[in-house]
Amino acid sequence: MLASLNEADLRSLEGRCTWRRFKSGEQVLDRNSDSRDVFFVAEGRCQIVNFSLSGREIAYASVTAGDYFGELAAIDGEPRSASVVSADKTLLAAMTPDVFTEVLSRHPEIALTVMRGLARIVRICDDRIMDLSTLGAVQRVYVELLRLSKPDPVTPGSWLIYPMPTQNQIASHASTTRETVARVISQLAQDGLIARKGKSLYIRERERLESLAERLSPGNPQAVG
């Protein structure tokens, strides 16, 4: 967000922020918090999450060094829309809403960056609503595996996920249970579509997996989970 600022402006803002370190797994923000600060991740990684009435964690996004979060509450003054947990040892800079608004007013290019970020959030939410409305649990796990996969830099035409998230993390993003994720991964491995080696998951037949994701309907008994 602040990439367009010169060194002097950056140092000035640095002094107007409150800096704090968090341990891995420590809560940074609670959804019920009355804080309206914007947070910049200087080191580490944070997970933006929510929890269902049954207590199941639903992951929204992972925020890494160089990114920011908390802008919604700073802009509209409403309560937080989610909770935040540090995923690693993390160093954060907290900027008050007044300072944040001042930065946006003085620097239109930063305001445009924030607007693009908010537009991206809306699009991601639209996609997730569509997935939850039209896809079964098994299908959502397929889609999440495809989303996580990247081209294998060593083997042309091959795809891999590295590092492979835990089953709980995949379940959280796919809005299902860990047991469903375990069952899906086991079945895909048996069918030869994927293979696990160390911290990597190799997708051997991406086109078949894409076909399964498209073909499986919410009414299919396999989609329950």
Side-chain angles (χ1 to χ4, degrees):
M1 184 204 298
L2 306 177
S4 61
L5 295 182
N6 58 43
E7 191 70 17
D9 286 338
L10 284 173
R11 292 291 167 260
S12 175
L13 284 180
E14 187 177 309
R16 299 175 73 182
C17 290
T18 301
W19 294 78
R20 184 178 171 187
R21 291 190 179 274
F22 293 85
K23 299 177 182 177
S24 178
E26 188 174 354
Q27 186 170 58
V28 176
L29 276 179
D30 181 81
R31 184 178 181 181
N32 298 318
S33 168
D34 58 1
S35 163
R36 299 293 181 268
D37 291 349
V38 178
F39 291 83
F40 296 84
V41 184
E43 299 174 7
R45 179 170 59 94
C46 290
Q47 197 75 13
I48 301 177
V49 300
N50 229 326
F51 297 90
S52 67
L53 292 177
S54 63
R56 189 172 75 192
E57 181 181 295
I58 302 170
Y60 286 167
S62 183
V63 188
T64 57
D67 291 332
Y68 61 94
F69 60 87
E71 70 277 18
L72 290 179
I75 290 172
D76 63 14
E78 295 295 321
R80 298 291 183 183
S81 59
S83 298
V84 181
V85 178
S86 58
D88 301 309
K89 291 181 179 180
T90 305
L91 175 62
L92 299 179
M95 179 183 291
T96 66
D98 289 343
V99 174
F100 181 65
T101 302
E102 178 186 324
V103 171
L104 297 184
S105 300
R106 290 186 175 182
H107 302 279
E109 68 280 7
I110 295 179
L112 183 58
T113 297
V114 173
M115 289 172 61
R116 286 171 175 159
L118 294 175
R120 184 171 63 252
I121 291 174
V122 172
R123 290 183 181 277
I124 291 172
C125 288
D126 284 347
D127 289 342
R128 295 198 69 161
I129 290 171
M130 179 63 72
D131 287 348
L132 289 170
S133 300
T134 62
L135 305 181
V138 169
Q139 201 173 9
R140 293 198 301 273
V141 176
Y142 291 158
V143 170
E144 183 63 18
L145 292 176
L146 289 167
R147 186 187 68 81
L148 290 169
S149 65
K150 307 295 180 185
D152 186 343
V154 177
T155 308
S158 181
W159 295 74
L160 82 161
I161 301 173
Y162 177 86
M164 178 64 178
T166 66
Q167 292 177 356
N168 278 330
Q169 289 171 330
I170 295 174
S172 181
H173 282 280
S175 298
T176 186
T177 63
R178 185 191 64 78
E179 290 76 14
T180 297
V181 174
R183 187 169 68 247
V184 169
I185 290 177
S186 176
Q187 186 61 56
L188 291 174
Q190 290 179 28
D191 294 342
L193 272 70
I194 63 174
R196 183 75 182 265
K197 291 184 179 180
K199 295 182 179 181
S200 299
L201 182 80
Y202 292 87
I203 298 180
R204 300 301 190 193
E205 299 189 46
R206 183 182 174 89
E207 289 185 1
R208 279 187 61 192
L209 184 56
E210 290 174 341
S211 178
L212 283 173
E214 293 172 357
R215 188 169 66 243
L216 186 60
S217 67
N220 190 315
Q222 294 184 70
V224 178

